[in-house]
Amino acid sequence: GLMRRHSQHPLTATGWMSMPAALAMVLNSSFAVLPTFFNVSITVLLPLGSLMWVLSAAITLILGFMILVNSFAAGNSLQQFHFGILFQPLVYGLNAIPGIAMSSYVTGVLKYMTLLGGLTLFSVGGVIGALAVIFLFLRLLEHGLPPQRTAPTVLLLLPSISVYTIFVLRLFHFINHTTPFFPPIIFTLVALTGFGVMLVSTLLGLLLLLLFVKEHIPFSSTWWSFVCPMVALSVLTTITFVFVKHP
């Protein structure tokens, strides 16, 4: 009904993808907490978890496709692109992680279906993220800095990097669990690479923010673009401790 009443405004806001992002986070948290909390095997929760994951992935793909098509159909210029578009690859990555996680607990055809689904979401998100970075770089070259209200969203790069690093760590863990192949140093190198890229992105975000200091950009500790990087750093640190096992 909302779409019909506002048909003159096609779906373009990436904020709509907060819904599948929330579903994916609920799913990730549930698999980590519920088996211990209720003292049940994780395999008991797999049917419900699979349904939630398929729903979240479907919403992500449908909304993501609609947003991209409507954005390009509108003929927006490079000047209208901003860092908020980086939210899309983040959501794809969030939905890819449950797929690769469930692959470690299921068997048969379902194992390869969840693995393929996770890899597909990972790949689509990676392509969109690469295109977003290219568009934003071209925008900076042609039109300079983005508006003040969108400048802090460059820090969205950090949670995206964190999510994709976690996915790669889980993928290597899955392969190693199936057919021992990767030496432990590989996990350490992947984690260090993730932290290194996050550091570079942090410096980029800080440089952009410093350029806006002269414009007296308002600051609040509740900025989602300020809070998200802190959460990303915390989560990546915890996951690294689990996979690398070197405090």
Side-chain angles (χ1 to χ4, degrees), residues 27 30 60 73 81 89 107 135 150 231 235 238:
L27 187 57
S30 299
T60 299
F81 276 90
T107 57
F135 281 132
T150 62
V231 176
V235 173
T238 305

Side-chain angles (χ1 to χ4, degrees), residues 30-230:
S30 299
F31 268 86
V33 175
L34 292 183
T36 302
F37 188 78
F38 290 105
N39 194 27
V40 296
S41 172
I42 194 171
T43 55
V44 176
L45 301 173
L46 282 175
L48 178 60
S50 299
L51 289 175
M52 282 186 62
W53 178 63
V54 169
L55 175 63
S56 179
I59 295 174
T60 299
L61 289 168
I62 293 171
L63 287 181
F65 179 76
M66 291 175 65
I67 291 170
L68 287 178
V69 169
N70 291 332
S71 297
F72 283 103
N76 293 333
S77 65
L78 278 175
Q79 191 172 4
Q80 293 174 289
F81 276 90
H82 59 80
F83 292 103
I85 198 173
L86 292 171
F87 190 51
Q88 274 217 44
L90 171 60
V91 178
Y92 277 101
L94 286 173
N95 280 274
I97 291 176
I100 195 68
M102 287 188 294
S103 299
S104 301
Y105 298 100
V106 295
T107 57
V109 177
L110 191 58
K111 173 188 285 290
Y112 297 101
M113 289 179 63
T114 53
L115 177 62
L116 181 61
L119 289 172
T120 300
L121 291 166
F122 176 86
S123 301
V124 173
V127 170
I128 294 176
L131 290 174
V133 171
I134 292 172
F135 281 132
L136 294 173
F137 181 71
L138 292 175
R139 187 209 180 284
L140 287 173
L141 292 179
E142 293 189 18
H143 304 286
L145 293 171
Q148 294 180 26
R149 66 183 182 278
T150 62
T153 55
V154 68
L155 294 175
L156 269 176
L157 282 168
L158 273 74
S160 297
I161 294 166
S162 177
V163 164
Y164 282 83
T165 303
I166 292 170
F167 180 87
V168 173
L169 286 171
R170 282 196 172 276
L171 179 62
F172 283 174
H173 179 264
F174 170 81
I175 298 174
N176 217 33
H177 181 74
T178 306
T179 305
F181 177 74
F182 295 104
I185 188 63
I186 296 296
F187 293 88
T188 303
L189 291 176
V190 170
L192 289 176
T193 301
F195 281 113
V197 179
M198 286 180 73
L199 176 61
V200 173
S201 301
T202 302
L203 294 175
L204 173 62
L206 291 176
L207 286 173
L208 282 175
L209 292 178
L210 288 174
L211 292 174
F212 282 105
V213 168
K214 296 180 180 179
E215 303 294 333
H216 305 289
I217 183 172
F219 174 80
S220 172
S221 59
T222 57
W223 271 356
W224 54 272
S225 53
F226 174 76
V227 176
C228 284
M230 302 302 105

Side-chain angles (χ1 to χ4, degrees), residues 9-24:
H9 300 296
L11 180 64
T12 57
T14 55
W16 280 87
M17 299 195 76
S18 297
M19 175 173 50
L23 282 175

